[in-house]
Amino acid sequence: MSLRGNIVRHWLKSSRPVSPSYVFSRRVSTSSTTSTLRSPVRATVYTTLFALSTGLFAVYYFDARSAIHRYVLTPVLRYTFDAETGHKIAVKVLRSGLGPRDPLQDHERLRSEIWNQDISNPVGLAAGFDKDGEAVDGLFDLGFSWVEIGSVTPKPQAGNARPRVFHLPDDSALINRYGFPSQGAASVLSRLRARIPTFHEAEDSSTAALRPGAMLAVNLGKNKESPVESADDFVAGVKTFGAYADVLVVNVSSPNTPGLRGLQNRDLLEDLLANVVKARDELPVSPITSRRPRLVLKIAPDLEESQIIEIAEVIRQSNIDGVIVSNTTIRRPSSLSHPNKSEMGGLSGAPLKPHSLLALRTLRAQLPSSIPLVGCGGISSGADALEYARAGASLVQVYTGFGYDGAGACRRIKDELCKLLESEGTTWSAVVRESVEKTSWKAPAPAPTPAESGEGTIGKLIEEAQELKSLLDRLGERIGSDVESLKANVGEESGTVLLASAS
Ligand SMILES: Cc1cc2nc3c(=O)[nH]c(=O)nc-3n(C[C@H](O)[C@H](O)[C@H](O)COP(=O)(O)O)c2cc1C
Ligand SMILES: *[C@@H]1O[C@H](CO)[C@@H](O)[C@H](O)[C@H]1NC(C)=O
Ligand SMILES: *[C@@H]1O[C@H](CO)[C@@H](O)[C@H](O)[C@H]1NC(C)=O
Ligand SMILES: *[C@@H]1O[C@H](CO)[C@@H](O)[C@H](O)[C@H]1NC(C)=O
């Protein structure tokens, strides 16, 4: 413990993040200056100790599994800086390539599948952490199998005034009203492009993540001044990022969209989806992924059941590939205890989980199994992730849990999940397959043909009855005529008999 304390103090004193080359050069320069000092022995001891502790620290630091990330570095970051600055620093470290790494391969048990594509584990990073696509590879290195950048707006915009993020640590929650600050599509695009030569050559992969078993998603946003009803910003986003993403996420998650009551808003949603799907279908096939991007909606957890049912109807009739459930909530559950709980904005983290889960279950029952759902909201452990799988999510995403637990969050969730699955003797895909089969919407049995349907049956009955009647009539006629001729015959014969007997 005290050794760790020392290591951390070392690190905090140095102004630059520790890198192996930095450690090396520091050791070299220290030993060269100390060689002229009075006590070479003492100097050597110090130098060795220093190198050792720094080296140890580096080992700890670079392994995302280390407890220092959860219990030391992340809390230090949280207490030292305001929420937004802490976030910025984290992005900068991950961007620099000096972030910690998940050193292990994902266990077979965690292998997941979405749209018939394999990914190595089900844990993704939700939108809003890397809004401008600065740290994509640093985030994949932490072990996320898929990373969603954005929201990206077409033009740069500043977002709301600060402070706009609030930590509610006692509640394991966050409130944010960022208002979608974005550097704009052009600058994010140039970053995504810049990744391509270096990584694409190295890793032969057919995903925009540029690594096997992973996916890259871009969350498309709208500029503040764009009209609410216009799909133009989303269409522009599809055109800009289509070739560079495996998945494009379109937000219908504003708590205002729920006003979907009434035909007008339903028409709006239908229109929006039709426009976005059309823009996607008109894209050329991406040279990176050899396909067109999937289109996924992201919805709010604050919808009523009737609204979810209505959205699902629209989705079923569109060519949307999946849904992320959910965004933050505008609710303030009574369990919240932090003084800042009444700040305006969207609430995320643990208190959001029951609401997201409920929305996900409701939607799962309204969409066919061919449309996968992604669970998001309050996930911070393996058990949370499994709960979402049982509710019918094919994959999950994390934001707030990652913010609180730091670099090792993804690795820890995966380890916990793996243990749970192992103890139950099952795998992630098996759990998902079973729950999706069981809980998803089934198309009603094919509509009966008119002849089979109720009205048809009666019609047919009447027809048959009429036919039967005419048969009977004809039979009656024949019987009648037969009887006549029979009578006549009998008359003749009996006459003959009578005549004969008389004679
Ligand atoms: C600070 C912050 C910023 C966010 N920014 C965005 C965003 O730009 N676009 C978006 O679709 N969702 C955004 N979200 C929502 C998250 O992607 C996620 O849906 C939500 O936080 C619920 O997950 P969690 O409980 O794991 O945090 C943001 C969330 C937080 C906390
Ligand atoms: C999400 O959609 C709502 C409603 O259309 C809009 O108010 C909000 O700004 C959108 N968010 C982004 C990031 O575009
Ligand atoms: C509430 O938020 C404000 C603004 O970020 C911050 O200065 C204050 O310390 C927060 N209150 C608590 C109790 O954390
Ligand atoms: C998410 O929810 C917040 C508030 O709950 C809202 O401001 C925002 O427009 C929603 N959409 C996205 C994409 O975050």
Side-chain angles (χ1 to χ4, degrees):
M1 197 61 218
S2 69
L3 178 60
R4 262 190 209 169
N6 270 335
I7 292 167
V8 172
R9 245 168 278 135
H10 260 312
W11 185 71
L12 289 176
K13 267 190 264 171
S14 68
S15 54
R16 294 165 51 192
V18 179
S19 77
S21 65
Y22 172 59
V23 172
F24 182 65
S25 63
R26 183 72 171 260
R27 189 181 58 200
V28 170
S29 66
T30 319
S31 55
S32 63
T33 48
T34 48
S35 62
T36 58
L37 289 181
R38 282 176 311 259
S39 165
V41 177
R42 202 209 265 164
T44 311
V45 170
Y46 278 144
T47 309
T48 312
L49 271 179
F50 178 79
L52 212 64
S53 62
T54 318
L56 260 181
F57 173 75
V59 170
Y60 267 107
Y61 172 81
F62 282 110
D63 189 334
R65 292 169 300 173
S66 305
I68 52 167
H69 294 294
R70 188 175 188 192
Y71 297 111
V72 183
L73 297 186
T74 310
V76 164
L77 205 59
R78 195 158 68 237
Y79 290 119
T80 317
F81 302 101
D82 68 273
E84 186 165 347
T85 312
H87 175 192
K88 283 215 170 106
I89 292 174
V91 173
K92 291 281 176 293
V93 170
L94 291 170
R95 173 190 179 165
S96 68
L98 298 176
R101 272 150 214 269
D102 174 357
L104 303 179
Q105 278 226 307
D106 288 327
H107 197 282
E108 270 296 297
R109 255 177 224 292
L110 299 181
R111 183 129 51 118
S112 318
E113 199 195 72
I114 189 164
W115 306 299
N116 297 320
Q117 193 169 328
D118 270 348
I119 59 177
S120 63
N121 76 72
V123 187
L125 178 74
F129 182 82
D130 188 4
K131 287 174 183 292
D132 299 308
E134 295 173 279
V136 174
D137 291 295
L139 288 162
F140 278 123
D141 286 343
L142 291 181
F144 292 109
S145 64
W146 64 302
V147 170
E148 181 177 335
I149 62 168
S151 301
V152 185
T153 57
K155 284 177 283 173
Q157 66 179 30
N160 294 328
R162 287 194 189 201
R164 47 192 182 176
V165 198
F166 304 87
H167 284 146
L168 278 51
D170 323 342
D171 304 306
S172 302
L174 281 180
I175 291 176
N176 93 84
R177 50 165 183 268
Y178 262 112
F180 309 108
S182 172
Q183 294 176 7
S187 116
V188 176
L189 178 67
S190 70
R191 269 190 211 114
L192 294 186
R193 281 199 172 133
R195 287 176 72 225
I196 286 169
T198 42
F199 280 88
H200 200 47
E201 245 109 72
E203 303 261 8
D204 185 27
S205 143
S206 55
T207 69
L210 307 180
R211 354 183 140 211
M215 284 199 300
L216 178 65
V218 179
N219 184 303
L220 305 177
K222 283 174 84 156
N223 279 116
K224 197 175 167 189
E225 66 276 10
S226 304
V228 187
E229 70 282 359
S230 162
D232 294 355
D233 283 4
F234 292 132
V235 168
V238 170
K239 290 183 178 158
T240 308
F241 292 106
Y244 298 89
D246 298 300
V247 180
L248 295 175
V249 184
V250 175
N251 131 54
V252 285
S253 60
S254 159
N256 307 321
T257 316
L260 196 71
R261 288 170 196 141
L263 218 54
Q264 212 183 356
N265 284 309
R266 186 182 174 130
D267 283 351
L268 266 181
L269 183 62
E270 277 170 356
D271 237 46
L272 173 81
L273 299 194
N275 278 314
V276 175
V277 167
K278 180 163 170 280
R280 187 268 312 265
D281 292 346
E282 285 172 4
L283 286 175
V285 164
S286 159
I288 304 167
T289 64
S290 312
R291 51 166 305 123
R292 294 182 182 83
R294 315 281 180 175
L295 276 178
V296 164
L297 293 190
K298 184 166 177 180
I299 66 165
D302 302 322
L303 301 164
E304 284 167 23
E305 190 181 3
S306 62
Q307 298 168 323
I308 294 182
I309 292 174
E310 203 167 357
I311 290 182
E313 277 169 17
V314 177
I315 293 174
R316 289 202 302 264
Q317 284 150 24
S318 73
N319 266 323
I320 292 294
D321 300 298
V323 186
I324 299 176
V325 191
S326 68
N327 187 17
T328 52
T329 177
I330 52 169
R331 282 178 235 242
R332 291 295 180 269
S334 54
S335 63
L336 297 181
S337 61
H338 194 272
N340 274 349
K341 66 182 179 185
S342 301
E343 287 291 348
M344 292 254 292
L347 175 75
S348 59
L352 168 61
K353 198 177 84 173
H355 303 288
S356 297
L357 267 171
L358 180 63
L360 187 123
R361 284 198 185 96
T362 311
L363 187 64
R364 186 66 281 172
Q366 299 298 327
L367 289 179
S369 56
S370 57
I371 302 182
L373 303 186
V374 173
C376 179
I379 296 172
S380 72
S381 69
D384 293 336
L386 195 56
E387 209 177 341
Y388 271 89
R390 297 229 155 89
S394 301
L395 302 173
V396 294
Q397 285 186 320
V398 188
Y399 187 139
T400 305
F402 170 58
Y404 278 114
D405 289 349
C410 180
R411 180 74 245 171
R412 190 174 47 77
I413 293 172
K414 291 192 292 185
D415 286 347
E416 290 172 0
L417 186 57
C418 206
K419 260 196 211 122
L420 280 173
L421 292 168
E422 191 175 4
S423 71
E424 297 182 23
T426 184
T427 67
W428 177 268
S429 328
V431 173
V432 170
R433 211 175 308 122
E434 192 192 327
S435 74
V436 169
E437 274 314 307
K438 204 163 66 192
T439 57
S440 58
W441 179 84
K442 314 276 185 306
T449 59
E452 286 163 4
S453 71
E455 276 174 344
T457 313
I458 292 173
K460 200 165 182 194
L461 268 180
I462 294 172
E463 237 175 64
E464 277 173 2
Q466 277 165 349
E467 212 172 308
L468 196 66
K469 183 171 171 282
S470 74
L471 271 176
L472 285 174
D473 287 348
R474 267 181 282 156
L475 192 66
E477 273 166 29
R478 276 198 56 184
I479 291 174
S481 65
D482 284 356
V483 170
E484 288 307 313
S485 61
L486 194 67
K487 267 188 197 157
N489 283 344
V490 170
E492 270 175 23
E493 275 169 38
S494 53
T496 321
V497 172
L498 282 174
L499 283 175
S501 60
S503 57

